[in-house]
Amino acid sequence: MTNFEYACPETEQDAVEMLREAGDAATVLAAGTDLVALLKSDVVQPQRVVDITRIDSLHGIEATEDGVVIGALTTLEDLNESPVLADYPCLRDVVAGIRALQIQQNGTLGGDLCHLPNCWYFRNGYGLLGRNDGKSLTEVGDNRYHAIFGNSGPAKFVSASRFAPGLIAWDAEVRIAGPGPQDADWLPLQDFYTTPRTDRHGISTLKPGQLITHIRLPQRERTLSAAYEVLEMQGLDWPLTAAACTLELDEAGLVRTAKVVLGHVAPIPWVSQPAVSALIGQPITAETATAAGHAA
């Protein structure tokens, strides 16, 4: 592990300032369930680690007139147990697939959304794009769990977030603070993720001095949601693939609007318009679901 400065702010403004001062050489520490391993293996080598766990405003789940606001440091266990999120069952579906109790108790929603790729080339020090001597190791080597969509560019990894598909299906937004002390804007989560063309581009739109502080979910009537993950061993592994869906039904029980988002198949959460087209105007049946799955 490379030596680094440790900073522990108690307000969002202080966190932004501490991140901004160090620029690209800073990283955020939330629960550390993934970051600590990356630090130990020297895959990530920050000059400053900013521990945000003491910032009270980043914790909790609050119902509002328009929906629900979730602090970025809210744990997966809190997501699962909160009655405020009863109308968003797709989130609980994801928690149920995470079998490690220590991850449920300590892992945070904001940390999951920023989870770096699980690509073994990246995790073994070959950079975000998995290159060696200018060649893509993914293209010439083992690529069983790499991108099948959106892989025409140099990025071949898959987005590692387990909650992003469900949140995007709900048209969730994220609040991004920084880089100025008073700067804060809401951004559709769907627009948060990017497909990098160089190792320096990263997996999201976050710039030096910025961090996610909250996630906002809209309130919609007559909307159903669910998420499903395919796990190779039904254990502590990462999903092979995943899907999340929201459906708004009309009074006749037919699908009026829908959003289907695939996970772990592309460098970003993958919105499937063909699947949506297969659902619109149809009743919710096994046949409809099969058609949407084939379309996706």
Side-chain angles (χ1 to χ4, degrees):
M1 182 184 295
T2 304
N3 289 336
F4 56 80
E5 295 177 349
Y6 173 79
C8 191
E10 296 187 357
T11 67
E12 293 178 23
Q13 291 77 15
D14 287 345
V16 165
E17 181 63 19
M18 292 174 181
L19 289 168
R20 186 189 62 77
E21 287 177 349
D24 290 335
T27 193
V28 173
L29 172 66
T33 55
D34 186 51
L35 178 62
V36 171
L38 294 173
L39 291 171
K40 286 182 176 180
S41 61
D42 279 337
V43 172
V44 175
Q45 299 180 13
Q47 294 178 16
R48 175 178 291 178
V49 172
V50 180
D51 181 349
I52 61 173
T53 55
R54 295 186 186 179
I55 304 177
D56 291 339
S57 62
L58 304 187
H59 295 265
I61 303 170
E62 179 184 2
T64 67
E65 293 182 358
D66 302 320
V68 176
V69 175
I70 307 170
L73 292 181
T74 300
T75 66
L76 311 189
E77 185 175 62
D78 290 340
L79 291 178
N80 197 45
E81 296 178 352
S82 172
V84 176
L85 294 174
D87 291 336
Y88 308 90
C90 63
L91 301 183
R92 293 179 176 177
D93 290 342
V94 177
V95 176
I98 300 173
R99 307 304 171 88
L101 293 180
Q102 63 269 33
I103 300 297
Q104 289 191 18
Q105 292 172 350
N106 297 297
T108 65
L109 182 57
D112 173 84
L113 295 180
C114 296
H115 191 102
L116 291 172
N118 294 313
C119 163
W120 44 60
Y121 299 114
F122 167 69
R123 298 271 164 167
N124 281 283
Y126 290 101
L128 194 57
L129 301 181
R131 289 178 171 272
N132 187 32
D133 294 330
K135 297 180 180 179
S136 171
L137 297 174
T138 311
E139 291 182 0
V140 300
D142 191 343
N143 51 32
R144 285 170 293 167
Y145 305 120
H146 289 75
I148 57 174
F149 296 131
N151 61 6
S152 59
K156 312 297 183 185
F157 62 82
V158 298
S159 175
S161 173
R162 298 176 80 156
F163 287 90
L167 291 170
I168 291 173
W170 269 103
D171 293 324
E173 298 177 304
V174 288
R175 181 178 178 269
I176 298 175
Q182 304 303 321
D183 293 339
D185 290 299
W186 288 94
L187 176 73
L189 181 59
Q190 184 173 333
D191 298 335
F192 174 74
Y193 293 99
T194 61
T195 302
R197 301 201 63 83
T198 72
D199 286 324
R200 292 182 60 83
H201 284 164
I203 65 169
S204 74
T205 61
L206 283 180
K207 299 179 176 61
Q210 292 185 322
L211 75 158
I212 292 178
T213 65
H214 297 83
I215 298 91
R216 182 164 64 188
L217 285 159
Q219 181 66 49
R220 294 203 299 257
E221 296 181 358
R222 300 185 62 84
T223 298
L224 308 176
S225 74
Y228 181 77
E229 296 179 334
V230 177
L231 297 167
E232 189 169 26
M233 297 182 294
Q234 299 296 316
L236 303 181
D237 54 334
W238 289 91
L240 298 178
T241 186
C245 180
T246 55
L247 303 174
E248 181 186 0
L249 306 180
D250 62 21
E251 294 183 357
L254 302 180
V255 177
R256 176 183 296 164
T257 64
K259 194 163 188 176
V260 178
V261 186
L262 310 181
H264 308 276
V265 296
I268 60 174
W270 196 259
V271 178
S272 177
Q273 293 302 332
V276 171
S277 297
L279 292 169
I280 299 299
Q282 301 298 316
I284 300 302
T285 64
E287 291 75 19
T288 300
T290 299
H294 286 304

